[in-house]
Amino acid sequence: MAEPFSVRVTVRGYETDVQGHLNQAVYLNYAEHARWSLLQAAGISQARLVGRGVGPVALETTIRYRRELLAGDEVDVTCAFEWGEGKTFRIRQEIVKADGTLAAEVVAVGGLMDLAARKLLADPREVFKELATDPGLFGL
């Protein structure tokens, strides 16, 4: 199996809380950044999604905090799609310090919404295949 898509992020001082570690909400920002970076790397821009009349939606997100992150820490944020049969998919992500320490795990359930009908598409895999120049990044 190929390595999951990954993007490097440096923890910025203004993202930390009073204890000096990364604020809990910022983990979600890092995960979202990696997801959009994967879309872009696969050839799917926001404009392309909107032009097709669809948009990704988050339905559920779970974060497991494993180790604290401090200002200046460099982390790799991974992103791997898991497909089932139906309207939703899972995205598994890890936030890993440069030394290999797992800092957090993020698991999200998502879907693709038809922007006109405001309903989830029946098979989001097909739309990702259609729009992507590199569907392999989605495991397709």
Side-chain angles (χ1 to χ4, degrees):
M1 183 166 155
E3 290 291 314
F5 180 85
S6 180
V7 63
R8 171 93 20 131
V9 177
T10 302
V11 176
R12 295 163 289 253
Y14 63 83
E15 296 173 324
T16 60
D17 60 20
V18 71
Q19 288 96 3
H21 59 244
L22 188 64
N23 179 279
Q24 63 178 343
V26 179
Y27 287 83
L28 289 173
N29 289 335
Y30 288 4
E32 185 79 358
H33 174 65
R35 291 193 295 267
W36 279 105
S37 294
L38 185 150
L39 286 171
Q40 187 173 35
I44 302 176
S45 65
Q46 286 181 323
R48 192 162 181 169
L49 287 164
V50 170
R52 173 64 168 71
V54 298
V57 293
L59 302 169
E60 176 183 316
T61 305
T62 302
I63 304 172
R64 291 185 155 229
Y65 304 98
R66 300 295 189 184
R67 294 289 181 270
E68 68 180 353
L69 293 174
L70 306 172
D73 283 345
E74 289 192 338
V75 296
D76 293 310
V77 185
T78 67
C79 190
F81 278 66
E82 294 178 353
W83 303 97
E85 301 296 322
K87 298 179 181 182
T88 64
F89 49 85
R90 287 193 185 284
I91 304 171
R92 293 200 182 274
Q93 297 182 265
E94 292 184 340
I95 300 175
V96 182
K97 294 169 113 177
D99 68 3
T101 302
L102 179 62
E105 298 167 294
V106 180
V107 178
V109 176
L112 274 181
M113 180 187 291
D114 177 316
L115 296 176
R118 308 308 283 180
K119 302 242 183 230
L120 291 178
L121 298 179
D123 190 355
R125 289 178 301 182
E126 290 306 312
V127 176
F128 279 115
K129 283 183 195 175
E130 170 194 326
L131 293 175
T133 57
D134 186 356
L137 289 174
F138 296 105
L140 299 171

